[in-house]
Amino acid sequence: MRTASSNHQRRKTRRASAPVIDLSSVRAQRRRQLAERRVRDAMDENRGALSRLFSTGLIFTQKGARAGRDLLLAHQALLRSADLFARLLDPSSRHDVALKHRAEELLAHLDSQLARTAQLTARTGEFLSGRGRD
């Protein structure tokens, strides 16, 4: 006759060990994916503002040229960020410590960069709507 403790022992030995998942790497990957999506969205908005400046012809005014220059500089910074994210996905750079350090620095300053880009895009929208014109 089997006792309850022998049944418990048998059940215990049948279980396979569960795999251990490093959640820090999963969190880092999700953080990077979210940042990459935010950068892409900001680039799309930035590109739209530049297109509106050109299509209205306001790019040829002094204020329009200044707004276009600021938008292009912000777009260039966003392109560098997107390029860094793309290089992080490259299998040959998985163990590049300097690249990972640059990515961490980028992620630390990304909110301010995206806020600045949104501010420039909004200012351009005001200019295009007539509120910011001379």
Side-chain angles (χ1 to χ4, degrees):
M1 185 163 181
R2 293 187 182 174
T3 64
S5 65
S6 68
N7 284 338
H8 179 69
Q9 284 290 344
R10 196 166 15 115
R11 240 183 286 140
K12 208 174 188 183
T13 57
R14 284 186 199 165
R15 288 185 186 167
S17 62
V20 177
I21 299 173
D22 181 17
L23 292 180
S24 65
S25 65
V26 173
R27 280 188 210 102
Q29 181 181 6
R30 284 220 175 134
R31 182 178 178 210
R32 185 192 48 77
Q33 288 172 344
L34 176 64
E36 197 172 356
R37 189 172 349 144
R38 290 174 62 203
V39 166
R40 267 187 273 124
D41 291 345
M43 285 175 61
D44 289 343
E45 290 177 19
N46 190 300
R47 195 176 301 117
L50 279 167
S51 295
R52 288 189 300 277
L53 272 176
F54 275 102
S55 66
T56 59
L58 291 173
I59 192 75
F60 301 110
T61 65
Q62 185 178 8
K63 267 188 134 176
R66 189 176 307 124
R69 183 196 68 217
D70 292 343
L71 285 171
L72 283 172
L73 288 173
H75 194 76
Q76 185 180 29
L78 292 171
L79 283 172
R80 282 193 301 267
S81 301
D83 180 55
L84 182 63
F85 289 134
R87 284 191 294 175
L88 284 172
L89 291 176
D90 187 23
S92 65
S93 66
R94 288 190 190 248
H95 302 292
D96 189 351
V97 177
L99 187 63
K100 288 181 182 181
H101 181 69
R102 285 183 53 209
E104 285 302 317
E105 285 179 353
L106 171 72
L107 289 172
H109 300 291
L110 187 63
D111 287 336
S112 62
Q113 181 183 9
L114 291 175
R116 174 75 176 139
T117 301
Q119 180 185 33
L120 290 171
T121 305
R123 192 178 333 146
T124 303
E126 290 173 2
F127 174 67
L128 288 170
S129 68
R131 286 184 276 164
R133 294 184 195 168
D134 290 328

